[in-house]
Amino acid sequence: MSLAPLKMKRLALSAGVALAFAVSAPAFADESVPQNDLLNATLWMQKSVEYKGNVLGTFALARIRLDEALADKSWTALPEMQDAAKVSDMPTAIILDCDETILDNNLYEAHLVKDGTDFSPKEWTAYVNSEQTTAMPGAVEFTQYAASKGVKVFYITNRTKEEESATATNMEKLGFPMGGNVDTLLTKGEKEEWGSPKGSRDQLVAKDYRVLLMLGDNFSDFTDDYKGTLEERQAVFEKAQSHWGKDWLVLPNPEYGSFESAPFLSDYKLSADERRKKKIDALDGWTPKN
Ligand SMILES: [Mg+2]
């Protein structure tokens, strides 16, 4: 006897049940289950093989691009900051963001989901100082490869100067190459003019090194024009088209970043529901015909 009809009936039944739940979800919502918008993103980043595959793929591409960049003496990832005709004799460097570019903070993100709470700077600092951050797959190997080729590895992070010592110890334990007598971990606030935008820190590296690659998970790791509306960000993105996948490589991060705050223009005075509504309003949706 074929099982197909039974299977079909079961599928139809479960689809019906799923639909009933979807329609009446609020009535059945179990309040003991934390309702947190970070759930899918955190589950994906902490537990999925798809995420790991994405990250390994990006670092594999980074290795190829690094070799190309070393061979082409006029290659620079920061042509607006350095003259391609004058960089050939400079020592080489790469610039990497830390969080969710090479460092995996999903223990912290999972805490937010499981405990139904929001990001707090104080708690974040306590997490950083616990030195439990892990390395993203392929990140240590890639940075070590770059260092083995004589490339200086700079980390430009918005972890703060108060978090720098624990971050450096944590990264060293994980095996990331640190700068020796050169300060290669450039944190937010370490110098007065080093705020959230990273351009002034990029500039500092570009003064002494030919910058081969930039790696980050957030638009702000590549440009100071990351704020603004979704349309303005799109225009900046398109203007930089020649960089993407070449000398600017992006790691996936659906958990947080300027993409997430753009729909409500970073107005954190709005309530969580108001912010959520603006994000939903920003989506283009299909309208079914009845
Ligand atoms: Mg980051």
Side-chain angles (χ1 to χ4, degrees):
M1 190 183 94
S2 164
L3 287 177
L6 188 61
K7 223 177 187 179
M8 295 280 285
K9 197 173 167 193
R10 245 191 222 170
L11 275 174
L13 243 174
S14 34
V17 170
L19 191 66
F21 267 101
V23 170
S24 48
F28 291 105
D30 179 349
E31 285 177 10
S32 66
V33 180
Q35 308 291 305
N36 192 305
D37 292 347
L38 274 172
L39 174 58
N40 275 359
T42 303
L43 184 66
W44 190 66
M45 291 177 78
Q46 191 180 59
K47 295 294 177 186
S48 83
V49 291
E50 290 84 353
Y51 171 71
K52 292 185 182 82
N54 263 277
V55 172
L56 284 174
T58 308
F59 284 118
L61 176 61
R63 215 179 254 241
I64 294 168
R65 294 301 192 211
L66 186 81
D67 290 341
E68 289 175 355
L70 282 168
D72 175 357
K73 301 279 185 207
S74 66
W75 177 304
T76 166
L78 291 172
E80 283 174 14
M81 290 185 187
Q82 41 190 198
D83 185 344
K86 293 181 185 162
V87 292
S88 60
D89 294 332
M90 293 175 99
T92 53
I94 54 174
I95 296 177
L96 302 101
D97 167 56
C98 288
D99 295 316
E100 276 55 65
T101 295
I102 54 168
L103 299 181
D104 176 338
N105 299 298
N106 280 293
L107 271 183
Y108 178 76
E109 299 296 323
H111 146 67
L112 300 183
V113 173
K114 288 166 90 79
D115 297 329
T117 187
D118 282 330
F119 176 87
S120 113
K122 201 176 150 199
E123 213 176 42
W124 167 255
T125 300
Y127 158 77
V128 167
N129 290 338
S130 75
E131 297 175 17
Q132 289 184 57
T133 300
T134 55
M136 283 167 51
V140 172
E141 294 80 354
F142 169 68
T143 52
Q144 287 181 350
Y145 177 73
S148 77
K149 298 276 174 181
V151 176
K152 205 78 178 163
V153 183
F154 282 88
Y155 308 99
I156 298 188
T157 174
N158 282 351
R159 287 194 175 193
T160 62
K161 64 174 180 178
E162 291 77 18
E163 295 159 352
E164 178 159 345
S165 161
T167 300
T169 311
N170 198 159
M171 286 177 64
E172 223 157 350
K173 271 192 292 194
L174 292 169
F176 286 106
M178 305 310 277
N181 56 0
V182 178
D183 181 10
T184 52
L185 179 59
L186 311 182
T187 53
K188 181 174 158 180
E190 193 182 329
K191 288 192 180 163
E192 214 183 311
E193 65 274 24
W194 293 357
S196 294
K198 296 181 167 180
S200 57
R201 284 174 277 172
D202 294 336
Q203 191 91 52
L204 188 80
V205 179
K207 192 164 63 69
D208 296 323
Y209 296 85
R210 178 162 73 93
V211 178
L212 309 179
L213 297 177
M214 310 271 289
L215 274 82
D217 66 300
N218 193 332
F219 206 25
S220 62
D221 298 324
F222 305 94
T223 172
D224 284 356
D225 294 326
Y226 60 92
K227 291 181 182 160
T229 64
L230 291 169
E231 292 74 20
E232 285 162 345
R233 286 162 54 85
Q234 180 67 25
V236 177
F237 174 82
E238 284 171 17
K239 212 173 142 211
Q241 201 158 14
S242 61
H243 289 292
W244 305 116
K246 190 185 171 217
D247 44 18
W248 293 5
L249 303 179
V250 190
L251 282 302
N253 180 4
E255 282 177 337
Y256 64 87
S258 52
F259 84 92
E260 191 258 334
S261 51
F264 56 88
L265 292 172
S266 304
D267 183 1
Y268 287 95
K269 286 198 286 295
L270 297 172
S271 71
D273 273 349
E274 286 168 325
R275 299 200 302 265
R276 185 178 298 117
K277 182 167 187 319
K278 285 192 182 287
K279 287 191 266 187
I280 293 170
D281 288 347
L283 297 174
D284 300 318
W286 173 67
T287 310
K289 285 181 187 156
N290 290 317

